[in-house]
Amino acid sequence: MFVVGLTGGIGSGKSAASAHFESLGIACVDADQVSREVVEPGSIALQAIAERHGNGILLADGSLDRAALRKIIFSSEVEKQWLEALLHPLIAEETGRQLMSASSPYVLFVSPLLVESGQVAWCQRVLIIDVPESVQISRTMARDNNDRAQVESIMASQATRQQRLDAADDVICNDGDLQSLHSAVENLHKHYLELAKSHANQA
Ligand code: ADP
């Protein structure tokens, strides 16, 4: 399977870009979604979390109280490491399963932390959606109704623009309108179809 990793900072346009790849018939695996799926009610991971922290970590409907768990791991490095040791292998396994079962000519793996987490190793190609920081801030503020300080603190916790660009094979500069973003996606889509074809021929 030819995997294209797609990433970018908050508000760069990852969702807008991946939605357009999807409209072209390309399967997308979303890292955030996978990390929610592995702790769904009935999962081994949720059972382990409830055994460690008590049923108080569950909401009334039996799902994980993410805010409560976040509070625990923010205040305890041991608990943070315990949780990571539990979830990382499960996330890796489930991501691999979804990437391998995709039926489009190539598959897009969308992750906000592709560069930070080492998930680039799963990708044949890395696509960065890039915007100047001023655009990133104004679009995120408009989308999330956040103030500037909140957006800047999220940005500070992510890879820098330069770290992302250093990891890139391809870059879409998303400082124009949505039509320009769509055209850039369509051009890369053609390129990826060719790359995926020669990748399959080599295998
Ligand atoms: P991300 O998924 O990277 O956080 P989004 O795709 O949600 O970013 O984009 C952030 C916001 O900016 C959204 O409201 C989106 O509709 C808007 N947006 C994205 N690209 C453009 C563009 N080229 N022109 C105008 N608005 C855009």
Side-chain angles (χ1 to χ4, degrees), residues 9-16 139 143 174 176-178 181:
I10 182 170
S12 57
K14 293 181 293 300
S15 307
R139 284 187 186 155
R143 183 193 61 188
N174 184 25
D177 59 14
L178 279 172
L181 174 65

Side-chain angles (χ1 to χ4, degrees), residues 44-119:
I44 307 166
L46 188 59
Q47 197 181 332
I49 292 167
E51 273 167 21
R52 189 165 178 101
H53 295 295
N55 284 342
I57 202 75
L58 304 178
L59 296 170
D61 66 358
S63 65
L64 178 63
D65 184 344
R66 296 172 174 282
L69 187 61
R70 217 170 310 139
K71 233 180 244 171
I72 292 173
I73 63 170
F74 268 135
S75 58
S76 165
E77 188 56 32
V78 171
E79 291 309 326
K80 182 169 177 260
Q81 283 177 13
W82 178 84
L83 189 69
E84 284 175 353
L86 172 73
L87 295 184
H88 283 179
L90 295 170
I91 290 171
E93 188 188 340
E94 179 58 19
T95 304
R97 197 191 61 73
Q98 292 190 16
L99 289 173
M100 291 309 134
S101 64
S103 58
S104 50
Y106 64 92
V107 58
L108 207 64
F109 177 51
V110 185
S111 172
L113 299 176
L114 195 77
V115 173
E116 294 85 334
S117 65
Q119 292 163 334

Side-chain angles (χ1 to χ4, degrees), residues 1-20:
M1 180 50 85
F2 191 80
V3 179
V4 176
L6 183 151
T7 192
I10 182 170
S12 57
K14 293 181 293 300
S15 307
S18 60
H20 200 58

Side-chain angles (χ1 to χ4, degrees), residues 133-153:
E133 285 177 2
S134 56
V135 176
Q136 197 182 352
I137 293 170
S138 60
R139 284 187 186 155
T140 307
M141 284 170 65
R143 183 193 61 188
D144 299 344
N145 208 9
N146 274 352
D147 63 31
R148 176 174 292 267
Q150 277 171 307
V151 179
E152 283 176 348
S153 91

